[in-house]
Amino acid sequence: MAHVSIVGKGNMGQAISGVLTQGGSTVELLGSGDTDKPLSGEIVILAVPFPAVDQVLGQRSGQFDGKIVVDISNPLDFETFDRLTVPADSSATAQIAGKLPNARVIKAFNTNFAATLTSGSVGTLETTVLIAGDDTDAKSTLADLVTAGGLKAIDAGSLKRARELEAIGFLQITLAAAEKIPWTGGFGIAG
């Protein structure tokens, strides 16, 4: 399969690591402060909150070149939970892609909760990972790893679709934070 570096040891980093290792990939799970360890994976997953992304990119300058970089962030205002913090015509993923011109940046996992990645289900539905980006091969590579790990994957379109995925992630998080849906649930895709 693949060797993947995940920056972020939180719930999402651990859940994604579990999916990928179940599918046969090797994973190095790094904390955002583990800057003494280079990113050795051909795929790098940024499993940190959006406000921490710039620090991670700055600490690891040049280490993303030539790699598939997966942004899982939802750029929401963590103080008010009432808005996305990127311009309406942009996305966190587009901003990251602009800072990493020599990487193949895609969006995935932001519409999933850690519990649904771990269980493989959203209620009675199979967990589906939506993937957006302009690099078809990068999306296909990640989709293969996700399906090998026992989940469904859907190509959600170009990098422009990252904005809509972030809006779905934002809505899902705010509903869970308000206890209107459980953190073990979320949105699923039937069919």
Side-chain angles (χ1 to χ4, degrees):
M1 293 266 62
H3 180 60
V4 181
S5 298
I6 299 178
V7 180
K9 291 183 176 181
N11 292 340
M12 286 298 290
Q14 291 178 34
I16 294 167
S17 176
V19 169
L20 299 179
T21 56
Q22 183 173 319
S25 293
T26 59
V27 175
E28 76 177 335
L29 195 56
L30 304 167
S32 56
D34 293 334
T35 56
D36 57 324
K37 299 175 185 172
L39 301 173
S40 60
E42 60 260 27
I43 299 170
V44 177
I45 298 176
L46 298 173
V48 297
F50 184 62
V53 168
D54 280 343
Q55 179 181 357
V56 170
L57 298 184
Q59 291 171 333
R60 297 182 172 282
S61 181
Q63 292 185 36
F64 300 96
D65 292 351
K67 298 180 186 285
I68 296 171
V69 176
V70 182
D71 166 39
I72 77 161
S73 70
N74 285 302
L76 60 113
D77 183 328
F78 287 103
E79 291 182 21
T80 63
F81 279 80
D82 69 349
R83 67 183 183 94
L84 294 173
T85 61
V86 293
D89 62 346
S90 187
S91 66
T93 312
Q95 290 185 359
I96 293 167
K99 295 172 184 175
L100 299 176
N102 298 316
R104 300 156 62 197
V105 180
I106 59 177
K107 178 68 138 199
F109 300 109
N110 76 299
T111 61
N112 305 105
F113 288 146
T116 65
L117 293 171
T118 301
S119 70
S121 64
V122 178
T124 60
L125 301 173
E126 184 177 14
T127 298
T128 301
V129 176
L130 301 174
I131 305 169
D134 291 338
D135 189 306
T136 303
D137 290 336
K139 292 188 293 185
S140 179
T141 297
L142 182 63
D144 289 346
L145 299 181
V146 166
T147 56
L151 306 180
K152 287 176 49 179
I154 295 178
D155 182 338
S158 71
L159 184 65
K160 290 179 182 180
R161 298 293 70 86
R163 176 64 183 193
E164 286 81 17
L165 294 184
E166 290 171 4
I168 292 169
F170 169 55
L171 178 59
Q172 185 169 261
I173 289 168
T174 57
L175 290 172
E179 299 182 354
K180 294 180 180 182
I181 63 170
W183 290 99
T184 55
F187 298 126
I189 297 177

